[in-house]
Amino acid sequence: MSRLSERPGEVIDRTRPMDFSWNGKPYRGYAGDSIASALAASGVRVFSRSFKYHRPRGILTASFHDPNLMVQVGDEPNVRAGHRLVEEKMEVSAQNAWPSLGFDAKGVNRLLGRFLTPGFYYKTFMSPRSLWPWYQRVLARFAAGGVVGVDPQPGRYDHRYAHPDVLVAGGGPAGMAAAIDAAEAGAAVILVEEEHRLGGHLRWGDSDDLGALEELSAAVLSHPGIEVMVDSVVTGRYDHNWVAIAQRGVEGVDERLVKARVKCLVVATGTIERPYVFEGNDLPGVMLSTAVRRLINLHAVRPGERAVVLSANGPGDSAIADLEEAGVEVAEVIDARGDDTVIKASGRMGVQGVIDSRGRRHDADLLVTAVGWTTTTTLLNMAGDRPMYEPRAARYLSKSLPYDVLATGGIVGDGSTDQLVQHGTAIGREAARRASVVKFQWLTAVPTGVTRQPPDTSEIEVPPLEAERHPELFRSSTHGFVDYSEDVTSKDLFAAAAEGYDSMELAKRYTTVNMGPIQGKLEAVNAVAIHGEATGSSPLETSTTTWRPPYAPVSLGVLAGRQYEPVRYSVIQPWHERREAKPLVAGSWIRPEHYGDPVAEVTAVREAVGIIDVSPLGKIDLRGRDVPKLLEFVYVNKWSKLDVGKVRYGIMCNEDGVIFDDGVTGRLGADQYMMSSTSGGAAGVWNWLDDWLQTGFPDWDVKMTAVTDGYASINVAGPNSRELVGRLTEIDLRPEAFGYMEVRTGVVAGVPGCFLWRIGFTGELSYEIHVPSAYGLWVWERLLEKGEDLGVRAFGIEAQRIMRLEKGHFIVGQDTDGLTQGHGMGVDWAIKLDKPDFAGKPELMWQAERDDYRRLAAIQTEDPAIVPPEASQIVAGDVIKGRITSSRMSPTLGRSICLGQVDPDLAAPGSRLHIRLSDGVTVAARVLEHHAHFDPEGTRLRG
Amino acid sequence: MNQKARFSAWGLFKRGLTRSHWPRVWDHHELRDSYDVVIVGGGVHGLATAYYLARNHGITNVAVVEKSYIGSGGSGRNTAIVRSNYLTPEGSKFYDRSVELYEHLAADLNFNVMFEQRGHMTLAHSDSSLRTMRWRAEVNKLQGIDSSVIGPEEIKSLAPFLDTSDHPRYPILGALWHPPGGIVRHDAVVWGYARAAAALGVHIHQGTELTGIEVESGRVAVAQTSRGDIATSTIVNCTAGWASLVAKMAGVRLPIITRPLQAAVTEPVRQFLHPVVVSGSLHTYVSQTARGELVFGASVDPFASYSTRGSLEFATGLATHVLELMPAISKMRMLRQWAGLCDMTPDFGPIIGPTPVDGFYVDVGWGTYGFKAGPVAGESVAEMVANGRPGSLIEPFGLERFHAGTLTAEKGAAAVGH
Ligand SMILES: Cc1cc2nc3c(=O)[nH]c(=O)nc-3n(C[C@H](O)[C@H](O)[C@H](O)COP(=O)(O)OP(=O)(O)OC[C@H]3O[C@@H](n4cnc5c(N)ncnc54)[C@H](O)[C@@H]3O)c2cc1C
């Protein structure tokens, strides 16, 4: 092949050469060249080796959807060389060839082809079983595709939202016309085109086509109402016209995902030319008519020297003219509209000869086929359409579309450029009108009090666009490749049918036809037709093809967009960082685990005073008359008589009686409550309450506001806590004025709007101060400053966990699991089965009648120095009798302490247990009387 | 199976030489007026049950009725992960038997189901999930199952593409490592069972929908299908996502909600990921097939639906999570996404056993994790149908547990579907 002199419609810029490499050797193309056209212009014929038989493959469609043109570009695998433009210094290499494209060692598979029948791997490699891992490694080596590296250049990706009135997918004549007229009618339009330029098939057409293209694209590009995205693909149409576009060529990023809520979608994605199945149809040099027209007219590349053309349609005939003009000798034209056809193409690394159905052999290095079109119905399928096969036109046509989706262009029918434009124009106007109807529906779906003018409801008349008659041509009398990327032949489809895989779905799965990176775009219709031939049925008429998203493969990078996972920090985080707190991931929060010495932190709290940042605690402000009813319902305990100023501990269970959260709720005012939940459970509790209020009790007067981030929360704990807090507030802290389990509101360190509750997870006298978050850090620092002489020290989660374990308080999710119901956790006193109703009550009533559930128990090992790791199993012989849920070395007691879940027969105080450590050794332990290892009476807390 | 039909390398060679076709894997049959057992659902559970009924119990007058083609349900849509590192003793014992059956399935069925024991790795991103991993490992060890907790270094050496560097949000702190876990070719399992069952005389009726069940004085009497009525005393419901609809035909209410589960696959690339990698916190798991594609799965959609359409949110969320784990693969492309239906029970345990209607058995509630259980469930259900009562392996999974309050505790271990 070689470069032709200038073509009227060429897209290359001959003044800008591009130097790149192919398999390590230097090549030159021009700006505007695809990788494939640049290589073809330099005489490259073989671009890849096929997946299974390692057959040489060359240009077939010269477009994005060319199965033979998948290459590696730098660290990017599976790049479509028929689409991607060459760039300076690009490093391109062939995939799937070893050691080289010219000599491929795995090509021996070609000879073995007759033994590698479909599903051959299901039939062998079974014995001896010991060899199976070895077979696996051999099979794995045959995996197709490019390579990914451990440390590639990171790609840059982004997301954008768009809200167009009309989105047109496909920038051919019909699509462009639709965009223009929709925009003229006032709609905000986005026009998306997969290729690098607008125009569709007009681009490689004659001078009339080029003229029309010029006019249309100028109108599109200059229209202020149209945003044009080229080199961009509509990858999917999801429910409610939620449309995804993978956009390339945006400044600053490699790719961008545009998510558009479209009022009316116009699908103008046209048709794709279909290959023909015959012996040798995959040889380099067998090309579709659109491929040669692209090569000649867009890239000025002569696709061969001597051609045979098999044509069944007008565009195929035009290819003949193009070839002649490009100086290709057209040795023979076989008119497929009659009885003639191609039987075989022969050659080793490319076409050398063609045998036709009259038995004549033609010398040729190029065989061009034009045997029909496949409609690109993916987006229609996704809109719920089930396109039907129309034998007269030999292609699938749209059957029924939802109101907000329209189709135009080749996907609907055929016609002259004028007819296509007329159809597109009408569809564009109709799309704009429907968009306004949809918009009206959206705007009036919510009561706003604004009166709106209903839009015009008279449909625009759309001129018919008939699909032309076209002969049904799928396969010649010989067998050839149906699916190039999967190396599936028509013979394989016959074999599959004969073996009993006689429905298309089974045949597809068995042979893997349609399963490759081309997603069936080229081969699906041939596959169905040949399967029908093999089974003696006519499945084309009865089947529809379901194309699953995405329309074209889309990078994980662009789907993800900017890679970030939000994390949450408390407002006191700057201080934690200065003190080099060890970060701990707790759900979405990053919290201080400790500040270097958790044991010293414990000692400070037990002997003096400590402060901990508990801002992540879930906080929900509840107001309204019916809050008590809500509390009564979601908590298992009694809530009706909670006086203002009081706080109560509560447990929540799911409908199945399983504990899912605990926390305290305080009554701040007559109709105002503050609920707290665990940090990890905050979102779940919120959803739970909201669910019940919306579905169970919509008439209750309860207003909820999530205020977790609104308050910074600081727990001040230890014998000196009253003294310390007293130095910062006027609130009367005397025990008789502010008792245990009470709440007060007031000013702390000059900050108004704080509330304090006297509770304690650590077992020490403590005050939990909730400060409007902007002042959290301020109050924290004041506490440290004012408490210096009191021995104040910040403590982290680890110290808190040790202390709560010393006190025997359980943590939901750690000491409970997905089946832990209310009873058995030492809180039976709280479960009020005599309440009329509450979430989980029926299951808890069942549970109360049984005795077979595990109990939470405080456990101490007989050897005080051994701390059994959490999750160690409690065993009797080999039988599991429970597990250690929490364990630590207690600095206060100087011994190991545990909480665990144990079977009822071992739960009684004093029971002797055996704990199996991870190395298999068992240690003896004992169940305590109380859950608390330390201060079971709680004298310190209430002091 | 007669000798001519047996698959082997020799057979492939001979047929390659003579270019002759293999005999049919299964035949089309007229519907008989009556069958001893009618199995509803041509997925792995239904077909395995049919096979073991015929092979282990000599019950061959069996029909499998499938409304579409075999494997059209979850069995042809799942991500084919097989493992036995479950959390409860009853769970791990059950699945361990399944892994054992899978290990010998190819030879047993004379159909290579391509069971690749690549190892199964569940990542822990927080100390609480690390604790759960330890819990599972400890339970597994006591059951004799190969399962342990490994640290970041070993993780990196097993799966170099995982980003074990310092992450703020999802650090990789450790993993539960289960070497016998792996992936299997789902279609091959379905076809292997169908072919072996057919060879023993079972009728597989594709394109045949169960439309009603006639119950006479508390007993199953007639299975009504789209191709006619079948007199039978035994119906086994193996319809997964449609299970509650079929049970309703017999007047049985199941505590099941059907929810979609989505999955996706990328274009193939050369092998780079050997083990199956799961992240519960990121609701994602990934494996690379022998063909080179990455197969991704996630958690069930949070709503009840019978729709099998994929969503954009799934695709974007999935990609975000996968790249969090393996940032190096951002240039790989997603090729296809799809969804299947999952029959979810309140405790994430299956429901296997008799029902209040005599002769109406269920093997359902397989949710997001039932493919791996196909062989053992088939074996156990066949045994139950033959003996009239459930054996010890499946006893914990009876329908009555929802009344007795003895739920199984797999919620933790099965939270990300697979
Ligand atoms: C995306 C996804 C990923 C998964 N990943 C895994 C995994 O990695 N590992 C794992 O172990 N499990 C996984 N699962 C779960 C697994 O697929 C299912 O649990 C399993 O396939 C269930 O098999 P089955 O034979 O019971 O049901 P199915 O295979 O669903 O078969 C039920 C059949 O019943 C038929 N049917 C329904 N109603 C009727 C009727 N009225 N008459 C006749 N026929 C009827 C259906 O057409 C269907 O073919 C996954 C599921 C999904 C959706």
Side-chain angles (χ1 to χ4, degrees):
Chain A
M1 299 186 218
S2 60
R3 197 71 82 172
L4 304 165
S5 55
E6 197 170 328
R7 307 282 307 163
E10 72 180 24
V11 296
I12 51 174
D13 180 352
R14 295 180 191 242
T15 63
R16 286 172 58 210
M18 294 277 163
D19 288 310
F20 67 105
S21 72
W22 165 243
N23 294 327
K25 294 204 194 71
Y27 279 83
R28 171 169 286 191
Y30 294 120
D33 257 326
S34 68
I35 295 170
S37 70
L39 288 172
S42 307
V44 171
R45 238 186 153 194
V46 179
F47 286 80
S48 64
R49 287 281 182 160
S50 73
F51 160 59
K52 191 160 138 193
Y53 304 121
H54 287 255
R55 292 171 64 90
R57 294 275 164 84
I59 293 180
L60 177 69
T61 76
S63 69
F64 185 94
H65 306 287
D66 195 321
N68 303 342
L69 299 184
M70 308 254 285
V71 297
Q72 179 94 24
V73 174
D75 54 28
E76 186 177 356
N78 301 356
V79 172
R80 274 48 177 185
H83 173 82
R84 184 69 62 85
L85 302 184
V86 282
E87 284 167 29
E88 190 64 22
K89 299 213 176 69
M90 210 175 211
E91 287 172 19
V92 187
S93 54
Q95 300 182 162
N96 215 25
W98 182 85
S100 74
L101 268 183
F103 173 77
D104 184 326
K106 290 181 217 154
V108 293
N109 284 13
R110 282 170 85 169
L111 304 175
L112 298 178
R114 58 163 68 179
F115 307 109
L116 304 184
T117 45
F120 73 92
Y121 32 76
Y122 298 136
K123 299 187 179 108
T124 180
F125 306 141
M126 284 178 279
S127 61
R129 209 169 77 83
S130 56
L131 278 186
W132 169 231
W134 181 80
Y135 288 132
Q136 280 176 49
R137 281 198 293 277
V138 174
L139 283 176
R141 207 158 294 164
F142 276 87
V147 292
V148 291
V150 185
D151 288 311
Q153 264 305 84
R156 287 155 306 158
Y157 305 96
D158 206 355
H159 281 187
R160 172 194 155 189
Y161 290 88
H163 303 86
D165 294 323
V166 173
L167 188 137
V168 182
M176 287 192 287
I180 295 165
D181 273 73
E184 280 296 298
V189 179
I190 293 180
L191 174 62
V192 185
E193 168 55 50
E194 181 178 29
E195 308 239 5
H196 296 87
R197 292 179 185 229
L198 295 174
H201 68 272
L202 295 181
R203 289 171 306 153
W204 53 79
D206 59 20
S207 56
D208 288 349
D209 290 341
L210 291 176
L213 165 59
E214 185 88 354
E215 225 172 274
L216 284 165
S217 68
V220 166
L221 295 171
S222 65
H223 203 295
I226 306 175
E227 179 179 359
V228 179
M229 298 179 185
V230 291
D231 194 8
S232 302
V233 193
V234 176
T235 62
R237 184 270 183 196
Y238 297 89
D239 288 351
H240 309 294
N241 260 359
W242 183 226
V243 173
I245 305 153
Q247 185 186 16
R248 294 177 57 89
V250 182
E251 198 66 39
V253 290
D254 295 322
E255 283 181 273
R256 176 162 79 176
L257 186 74
V258 181
K259 305 196 227 178
R261 181 73 71 190
V262 177
K263 294 179 198 85
C264 187
L265 172 68
V266 177
V267 182
T269 47
T271 56
I272 292 181
E273 192 169 23
R274 205 152 58 213
Y276 189 50
V277 179
F278 57 91
E279 189 177 344
N281 68 338
D282 69 323
L283 279 173
V286 177
M287 294 187 200
L288 305 187
S289 74
T290 40
V292 298
R293 298 190 72 196
R294 282 166 181 266
L295 287 172
I296 295 170
N297 297 326
L298 300 181
H299 300 112
V301 172
R302 181 186 299 125
E305 301 300 325
R306 204 177 133 84
V308 173
V309 181
L310 173 73
S311 174
N313 49 46
D317 301 342
S318 304
I320 300 166
D322 287 343
L323 285 166
E324 280 170 343
E325 234 187 275
V328 180
E329 181 189 344
V330 178
E332 181 71 22
V333 173
I334 303 169
D335 194 332
R337 282 158 284 212
D339 292 332
D340 293 338
T341 188
V342 165
I343 301 294
K344 176 178 177 178
S346 57
R348 265 197 59 78
M349 293 298 285
V351 177
Q352 289 166 326
V354 176
I355 297 171
D356 67 21
S357 50
R358 299 184 191 197
R360 296 175 305 174
R361 184 179 190 282
H362 312 277
D363 280 340
D365 63 349
L366 179 62
L367 169 58
V368 179
T369 66
V371 298
W373 312 96
T374 295
T375 31
T376 52
T377 57
T378 314
L379 297 176
L380 302 182
N381 278 129
M382 291 182 71
D385 190 15
R386 292 276 165 272
M388 288 297 289
Y389 181 73
E390 171 54 57
R392 227 180 45 89
R395 68 186 206 240
Y396 283 89
L397 293 172
S398 164
K399 212 176 81 190
S400 64
L401 288 170
Y403 184 77
D404 52 6
V405 178
L406 292 165
T408 182
I411 208 164
V412 175
D414 305 298
S416 64
T417 304
D418 279 351
Q419 285 170 313
L420 289 170
V421 166
Q422 274 165 26
H423 192 267
T425 298
I427 288 290
R429 283 177 33 227
E430 176 64 7
R433 193 191 64 77
R434 290 197 187 180
S436 69
V437 172
V438 170
K439 189 171 181 178
F440 177 78
Q441 287 164 352
W442 288 359
L443 290 174
T444 51
V446 277
T448 55
V450 182
T451 331
R452 291 177 195 277
Q453 205 54 34
D456 184 4
T457 49
S458 52
E459 241 178 73
I460 308 265
E461 199 177 318
V462 180
L465 197 61
E466 292 289 324
E468 272 168 19
R469 186 175 284 283
H470 195 289
E472 294 183 271
L473 293 164
F474 308 108
R475 184 175 82 89
S476 177
S477 55
T478 47
H479 284 295
F481 284 87
V482 178
D483 185 330
Y484 295 76
S485 30
E486 293 290 306
D487 258 1
V488 180
T489 64
S490 48
K491 202 188 265 173
D492 293 339
L493 289 171
F494 274 76
E499 285 182 39
Y501 301 92
D502 49 9
S503 65
M504 190 56 219
E505 269 302 328
L506 289 180
K508 178 175 117 189
R509 287 161 174 269
Y510 189 59
T511 61
T512 72
V513 71
N514 293 359
M515 306 278 266
I518 301 305
Q519 303 165 300
K521 288 207 175 52
L522 295 177
E523 63 275 16
V525 176
N526 283 342
V528 177
I530 291 165
H531 173 74
E533 210 189 319
T535 52
S537 58
S538 51
L540 275 173
E541 274 81 353
T542 50
S543 83
T544 79
T545 46
T546 14
W547 309 73
R548 288 178 175 139
Y551 174 82
V554 50
S555 73
L556 296 176
V558 76
L559 285 171
R562 279 186 222 182
Q563 189 70 16
Y564 67 92
E565 282 291 342
V567 289
R568 301 169 82 184
Y569 292 107
S570 120
V571 294
I572 304 168
Q573 179 66 13
W575 192 91
H576 303 322
E577 263 166 37
R578 281 203 299 278
R579 295 306 147 102
E580 289 173 7
K582 180 162 185 271
L584 176 85
V585 180
S588 54
W589 293 91
I590 311 289
R591 307 183 62 179
E593 183 172 347
H594 57 72
Y595 303 89
D597 188 351
V599 170
E601 291 167 19
V602 170
T603 314
V605 175
R606 291 274 184 244
E607 289 172 5
V609 59
I611 61 173
I612 180 171
D613 178 1
V614 291
S615 302
L617 271 181
K619 289 166 286 260
I620 301 173
D621 183 315
L622 296 168
R623 302 194 188 201
R625 247 191 346 271
D626 295 318
V627 174
K629 284 195 206 159
L630 177 69
L631 299 177
E632 197 81 275
F633 184 80
V634 294
Y635 282 124
V636 297
N637 45 328
K638 281 244 166 69
W639 283 85
S640 43
K641 288 195 194 71
L642 183 73
D643 293 332
V644 175
K646 293 286 184 195
V647 174
R648 194 168 291 168
Y649 171 75
I651 293 175
M652 291 187 196
C653 290
N654 288 329
E655 283 113 323
D656 46 15
V658 170
I659 298 181
F660 90 97
D661 205 73
D662 66 347
V664 298
T665 292
R667 188 166 180 190
L668 305 188
D671 275 352
Q672 188 195 350
Y673 295 75
M674 184 66 70
M675 173 184 282
S676 72
S677 68
T678 61
S679 313
V685 168
W686 167 270
N687 286 342
W688 182 245
L689 301 188
D690 202 24
D691 243 29
W692 282 110
L693 286 175
Q694 289 197 33
T695 61
F697 316 109
D699 52 335
W700 282 2
D701 173 25
V702 178
K703 290 168 200 73
M704 322 195 322
T705 314
V707 292
T708 303
D709 296 308
Y711 290 95
S713 305
I714 303 166
N715 194 296
V716 186
N720 294 343
S721 57
R722 181 175 292 128
E723 172 63 27
L724 174 55
V725 176
R727 292 180 184 180
L728 292 178
T729 182
E730 305 276 279
I731 298 170
D732 187 351
L733 299 179
R734 286 171 304 131
E736 57 277 22
F738 186 2
Y740 181 57
M741 298 306 271
E742 291 192 340
V743 57
R744 297 290 178 270
T745 52
V747 179
V748 178
V751 180
C754 299
F755 67 94
L756 284 71
W757 43 44
R758 214 190 120 186
I759 53 171
F761 200 39
T762 57
E764 297 297 328
L765 171 69
S766 59
Y767 297 86
E768 201 155 284
I769 313 178
H770 303 273
V771 189
S773 3
Y775 299 98
L777 184 54
W778 161 264
V779 172
W780 176 267
E781 286 178 333
R782 293 296 77 68
L783 283 164
L784 289 166
E785 186 187 294
K786 300 279 185 207
E788 231 184 306
D789 59 313
L790 298 174
V792 69
R793 182 171 183 145
F795 65 104
I797 303 285
E798 177 58 19
Q800 189 192 43
R801 283 183 184 165
I802 294 171
M803 288 185 277
R804 70 91 200 174
L805 183 57
E806 290 175 338
K807 278 296 293 179
H809 293 307
F810 64 82
I811 296 180
V812 175
Q814 171 164 348
D815 300 298
T816 70
D817 58 56
L819 281 189
T820 309
Q821 294 181 309
H823 296 105
M825 292 303 290
V827 290
D828 294 23
W829 53 268
I831 304 171
K832 297 296 186 220
L833 294 176
D834 55 346
K835 286 203 289 185
D837 192 17
F838 65 90
K841 179 177 168 186
E843 283 69 16
L844 290 172
M845 292 189 66
W846 278 345
Q847 196 201 8
E849 289 162 14
R850 301 198 326 265
D851 194 32
D852 58 353
Y853 49 89
R854 285 201 173 148
R855 309 291 203 278
L856 185 74
I859 297 167
Q860 291 185 351
T861 49
E862 288 182 354
D863 179 346
I866 297 177
V867 184
E870 289 168 356
S872 297
Q873 298 297 299
I874 296 166
V875 295
D878 270 351
V879 181
I880 295 172
K881 303 290 287 179
R883 72 174 192 287
I884 299 298
T885 56
S886 299
S887 63
R888 285 292 186 276
M889 178 56 75
S890 160
T892 315
L893 301 173
R895 69 162 348 279
S896 114
I897 54 172
C898 311
L899 275 177
Q901 292 243 16
V902 287
D903 278 353
D905 55 324
L906 289 179
S911 300
R912 199 153 181 273
L913 306 174
H914 296 280
I915 303 168
R916 192 177 178 280
L917 307 181
S918 46
D919 55 7
V921 176
T922 49
V923 296
R926 195 171 49 77
V927 173
L928 305 195
E929 192 178 343
H930 297 284
H931 283 179
H933 296 264
F934 171 69
D935 186 24
E937 284 75 38
T939 37
R940 304 172 67 92
L941 185 66
R942 289 166 213 274
Chain B
M1 205 167 299
N2 75 40
Q3 214 40 47
K4 266 214 341 260
R6 274 194 77 77
F7 292 153
S8 65
W10 175 240
L12 270 176
F13 179 69
K14 268 193 329 203
R15 282 174 205 278
L17 286 182
T18 58
R19 296 185 188 271
S20 58
H21 287 313
W22 289 90
R24 288 184 61 94
V25 274
W26 47 78
D27 276 311
H28 297 288
H29 295 281
E30 291 301 312
L31 209 61
R32 285 188 194 143
D33 295 338
S34 80
Y35 286 96
D36 294 342
V37 180
V38 173
I39 295 169
V40 195
V44 63
H45 283 263
L47 293 164
T49 301
Y51 169 69
Y52 291 113
L53 268 176
R55 196 196 73 171
N56 294 354
H57 307 282
I59 302 174
T60 56
N61 185 21
V62 174
V64 177
V65 295
E66 164 54 54
K67 65 177 173 151
S68 180
Y69 58 94
I70 57 171
S72 57
S75 297
R77 294 166 185 267
N78 69 87
T79 47
I81 294 171
V82 175
R83 63 186 174 92
S84 65
N85 56 349
Y86 276 73
L87 183 56
T88 58
E90 63 271 24
S92 20
K93 208 185 308 171
F94 182 76
Y95 290 105
D96 199 36
R97 173 68 184 149
S98 215
V99 169
E100 197 181 320
L101 285 169
Y102 266 120
E103 286 173 68
H104 296 92
L105 203 56
D108 185 11
L109 299 179
N110 179 234
F111 202 109
N112 193 344
V113 297
M114 320 279 276
F115 182 28
E116 298 192 40
Q117 296 182 290
R118 292 164 159 247
H120 182 278
M121 184 189 281
T122 314
L123 302 174
H125 302 288
S126 67
D127 65 339
S128 65
S129 64
L130 203 52
R131 195 179 312 117
T132 309
M133 300 309 151
R134 264 193 254 117
W135 177 9
R136 281 167 65 179
E138 292 305 322
V139 172
N140 294 160
K141 277 188 221 158
L142 277 162
Q143 306 289 326
I145 291 164
D146 189 354
S147 174
S148 58
V149 173
I150 57 174
E153 256 153 58
E154 206 173 333
I155 294 173
K156 191 79 185 168
S157 77
L158 287 163
F161 274 72
L162 287 177
D163 180 4
T164 47
S165 66
D166 248 3
H167 268 239
R169 180 69 176 88
Y170 295 108
I172 294 180
L173 303 177
L176 183 66
W177 174 235
H178 178 47
I183 48 177
V184 66
R185 191 66 67 82
H186 54 17
D187 286 331
V189 176
V190 169
W191 300 334
Y193 272 120
R195 170 170 167 270
L200 294 171
V202 170
H203 283 188
I204 295 165
H205 296 293
Q206 303 188 66
T208 309
E209 180 167 1
L210 187 83
T211 51
I213 296 174
E214 271 177 41
V215 177
E216 272 166 27
S217 44
R219 279 207 65 87
V220 163
V222 177
Q224 300 165 335
T225 80
S226 54
R227 283 171 59 208
D229 287 358
I230 304 169
T232 186
S233 60
T234 307
I235 295 180
V236 188
N237 177 0
C238 298
T239 54
W242 299 265
S244 50
L245 303 176
V246 169
K248 202 169 148 200
M249 295 177 193
V252 172
R253 224 182 132 193
L254 298 176
I256 280 181
I257 292 177
T258 291
R259 291 182 175 187
L261 175 64
Q262 304 195 45
V265 66
T266 65
E267 293 177 355
V269 295
R270 305 250 140 207
Q271 297 292 327
F272 69 91
L273 178 69
H274 195 67
V276 178
V277 176
V278 183
S279 164
S281 317
L282 285 163
H283 303 287
T284 293
Y285 57 90
V286 51
S287 67
Q288 188 170 24
T289 66
R291 289 160 49 85
E293 306 146 325
L294 292 187
V295 175
F296 302 122
S299 319
V300 276
D301 284 342
F303 42 80
S305 169
Y306 286 94
S307 158
T308 53
R309 253 184 285 173
S311 69
L312 180 60
E313 287 58 41
F314 165 77
T316 54
L318 177 84
T320 309
H321 290 159
V322 164
L323 293 184
E324 186 76 27
L325 294 177
M326 292 191 280
I329 63 166
S330 65
K331 289 170 185 164
M332 285 187 72
R333 293 182 186 80
M334 188 179 99
L335 181 60
R336 251 193 322 276
Q337 65 174 120
W338 66 91
L341 302 183
C342 292
D343 38 342
M344 309 301 294
T345 60
D347 64 355
F348 282 61
I351 309 177
I352 321 175
T355 65
V357 174
D358 266 0
F360 184 63
Y361 296 92
V362 291
D363 169 26
V364 299
W366 285 108
T368 61
Y369 45 83
F371 194 77
K372 67 181 73 61
V376 64
E379 188 185 57
S380 313
V381 172
E383 187 192 340
M384 166 172 72
V385 169
N387 301 342
R389 66 190 139 70
S392 65
L393 263 188
I394 55 172
E395 235 175 348
F397 305 119
L399 177 59
E400 61 293 339
R401 74 174 184 278
F402 298 99
H403 303 287
T406 49
L407 304 187
T408 70
E410 286 302 348
K411 225 167 182 164
V416 215
H418 66 284

